[in-house]
Amino acid sequence: MEYRLSRHRQGLAGFLCGLLIVVVGVWAPSVAKDQPPIDDTPRLIGLQHPHWFELSLLDLREDLKSVREQGKRALAVYVGMDDCPYCEALFQVNFAEPDIVEYTRRHFNVVGLDVLGSREMTNLEGESMTEREFAVGKGLNFTPAFIFYEPDGTPVFRLRGYHSPYRFRAALEYVADGHYENESFREYLARADPPPRFEPDDLNHQEFFAPEPFGLDRSRIPADRPLAVFFEQGECHACDILHTEPLGDEQVLDLLDLFEVVQLDMWSEETPVLTPDGRSMTARAWAEDLGLFYAPTLIFFDEAGEEILRIDSVVRLHRLRSVLEYVLTRGYEDYPTYQRWRMDQGG
């Protein structure tokens, strides 16, 4: 699919966005600290692993055996890649917190893999494959990513993309304390930190969001363009950053012109939605059905209503712009993951 950049917008929105960032930084520094700045422009970073990661022979069966012998809670398989600024943030921000490192090492053995790696490895089923093939099979579109396995080899949780220290701690505790046995991560987070009550006007509205009613059904008659659904909530600092940084970029806005774009309150029990596969439900019920736990989450669907991929972690300008291009150029038809496509595009 071809696209061209056509619109020119005034600078007022950018000024207000910058002002909002300053105000938020002064008014709520503790919240801002939990959303560390990430420069996600392509640059040389290298593939980093902390010294305390396991020295694995890339046989996950042996790694899991070590978990059992050491009495750890789970095997954590980390998947990263070269020159990934989000992986850099994981190591320089999250793993710079002594309590996070201590808690991780106490409960988990961590094995590091390269999402694009060609090294031979053996999975828990005894099958030989490359690191890249393992990542493709697990649907890992964004790095860094973690998959947690119980000592018996049962996969119990997957965390994709970069998450701030607060949410990363919560994910570790969710697995270490066995909460996954009784509730979803979404339910666990809501119980620990209930979502605020707010009015729909508390969301960040944009002119490109389609108005209600939200009839998104594509299962009977295909649409003429892809769909992007923004699941958000009020009093959401990460949502504010999305709207003031990536969504203040001219090229991102021009790319979004080529989508049908919808914004939903992920906690709303009053907003009816006809989903892309033709089901009638509320926005909250749909978010629960999709297993969403992070705001904002962006989910992209093709013209027939099939999910292409989702961004359910911290996202900055370069990654969002690149994902929009990946969807619009139908890169997903030739590349099994976004990461493979991105590397072949030279960035």
Side-chain angles (χ1 to χ4, degrees):
M1 176 184 293
E2 296 182 356
Y3 57 84
R4 64 187 169 87
L5 308 181
S6 58
R7 299 191 305 176
H8 299 278
R9 294 173 174 78
Q10 301 300 318
L12 178 60
F15 169 77
L16 292 176
C17 290
L19 180 61
L20 176 60
I21 293 173
V22 172
V23 171
V24 169
V26 173
W27 177 69
S30 62
V31 177
K33 182 180 179 182
D34 207 44
Q35 287 291 330
I38 296 177
D39 173 12
D40 73 343
T41 55
R43 62 188 190 280
L44 295 177
I45 298 173
L47 182 65
Q48 308 172 57
H49 287 167
H51 68 86
W52 48 267
F53 274 24
E54 295 296 301
L55 295 176
S56 173
L57 297 177
L58 299 185
D59 186 336
L60 296 188
R61 298 170 302 177
E62 292 300 314
D63 295 320
L64 196 66
K65 180 181 178 182
S66 296
V67 167
R68 291 192 296 267
E69 291 174 346
Q70 297 173 30
K72 297 291 183 71
R73 186 65 179 85
L75 171 67
V77 177
Y78 161 81
V79 182
M81 67 178 293
D82 284 334
D83 307 329
C84 167
Y86 296 88
C87 304
E88 180 183 47
L90 172 72
F91 297 130
Q92 294 189 358
V93 179
N94 296 31
F95 285 144
E97 299 284 345
D99 69 299
I100 290 182
V101 173
E102 188 280 329
Y103 192 87
T104 303
R105 298 185 69 177
R106 174 156 42 98
H107 293 286
F108 309 104
N109 280 357
V110 186
V111 171
L113 301 178
D114 181 353
V115 73
L116 299 176
S118 59
R119 294 184 300 173
E120 288 291 323
M121 60 169 292
T122 303
N123 66 13
L124 291 176
E125 290 72 40
E127 301 167 332
S128 179
M129 61 186 62
T130 64
E131 297 167 279
R132 179 173 59 246
E133 290 169 338
F134 176 84
V136 169
K138 300 303 179 182
L140 301 180
N141 267 302
F142 300 109
T143 53
F146 287 87
I147 304 176
F148 295 88
Y149 294 92
E150 284 189 325
D152 67 358
T154 302
V156 294
F157 186 57
R158 179 173 59 177
L159 190 70
R160 295 174 293 191
Y162 174 75
H163 291 271
S164 63
Y166 165 77
R167 196 171 296 270
F168 188 69
R169 285 188 186 94
L172 296 176
E173 292 169 355
Y174 175 72
V175 177
D177 294 339
H179 294 288
Y180 58 83
E181 297 175 351
N182 302 307
E183 58 188 339
S184 68
F185 191 44
R186 171 188 172 93
E187 293 168 332
Y188 172 69
L189 288 175
R191 180 168 56 80
D193 186 15
R197 289 291 181 182
F198 56 91
E199 299 299 325
D201 287 343
D202 288 334
L203 298 181
N204 293 285
H205 293 290
Q206 298 277 2
E207 64 179 25
F208 53 76
F209 288 138
E212 296 186 53
F214 300 122
L216 310 180
D217 184 11
R218 295 162 171 239
S219 62
R220 298 173 180 82
I221 302 176
D224 60 0
R225 53 183 174 166
L227 168 67
V229 182
F230 286 56
F231 284 92
E232 303 187 44
Q233 66 182 31
E235 299 184 25
C236 169
H237 184 60
C239 301
D240 294 337
I241 291 177
L242 172 68
H243 285 267
T244 55
E245 293 180 3
L247 295 183
D249 179 76
E250 291 289 336
Q251 186 176 3
V252 166
L253 294 175
D254 284 322
L255 294 172
L256 282 171
D257 274 346
L258 303 176
F259 288 80
E260 179 184 358
V261 189
V262 169
Q263 181 190 49
L264 296 175
D265 163 11
M266 64 189 295
W267 298 101
S268 174
E269 298 177 336
E270 290 78 37
T271 304
V273 180
L274 186 60
T275 66
D277 57 2
R279 294 177 294 161
S280 295
M281 51 205 325
T282 66
R284 176 168 184 156
W286 191 25
E288 291 175 348
D289 183 68
L290 291 167
L292 306 188
F293 60 84
Y294 181 77
T297 287
L298 281 58
I299 305 186
F300 299 90
F301 299 88
D302 67 13
E303 290 79 356
E306 294 292 326
E307 181 178 334
I308 300 170
L309 83 168
R310 65 181 67 181
I311 304 176
D312 51 359
S313 57
V314 173
V315 62
R316 296 294 187 260
L317 173 60
H318 178 75
R319 175 168 284 184
L320 178 58
R321 186 166 57 201
S322 188
V323 166
L324 295 176
E325 293 172 347
Y326 171 71
V327 174
L328 288 171
T329 59
R330 309 183 77 87
Y332 54 88
E333 294 182 345
D334 298 316
Y335 295 86
T337 66
Y338 158 78
Q339 298 286 22
R340 288 282 303 280
W341 175 86
R342 186 179 75 85
M343 293 302 296
D344 276 8
Q345 306 308 304

